[in-house]
Amino acid sequence: MPHGILGWLLIGLVAGALGKLIMPGRDPGGIIVTIVIGIAGALLAFYLTPVLGLEVRDSTWQAYAAATAGAVILLALYRMVIARRI
């Protein structure tokens, strides 16, 4: 598994799919937007885990858990914003 940001981008792909499984339903952007949100959630986790004092290494279950949590949070925020617009 690649290290650094590239590794977190790949983890974000998985996190986006897991986020969609955790929060099923129709999203206006479809699976592509969900995966992009997963990547954004992974990058958010990449930058926030050191700030929170957590040591998360690439390709560990903690990295996938942090990225998935970030994806779920961003997906929930995305749905709230889109729901207000409709």
Side-chain angles (χ1 to χ4, degrees), residues 15-83:
L18 290 173
K20 185 67 171 173
L21 287 174
I22 292 170
M23 295 184 65
R26 294 190 65 204
D27 291 319
I31 190 72
I32 300 299
V33 171
T34 304
I35 289 173
V36 170
I37 289 173
I39 292 170
L43 291 175
L44 180 69
F46 174 75
Y47 289 110
L48 283 182
T49 51
V51 172
L52 297 173
L54 302 172
E55 184 180 337
V56 177
R57 296 189 186 115
D58 296 344
S59 70
T60 62
W61 68 270
Q62 293 103 342
Y64 286 98
T68 302
V72 168
I73 290 168
L74 290 181
L75 185 58
L77 290 172
Y78 173 72
R79 286 183 180 178
M80 286 191 309
V81 168
I82 294 301

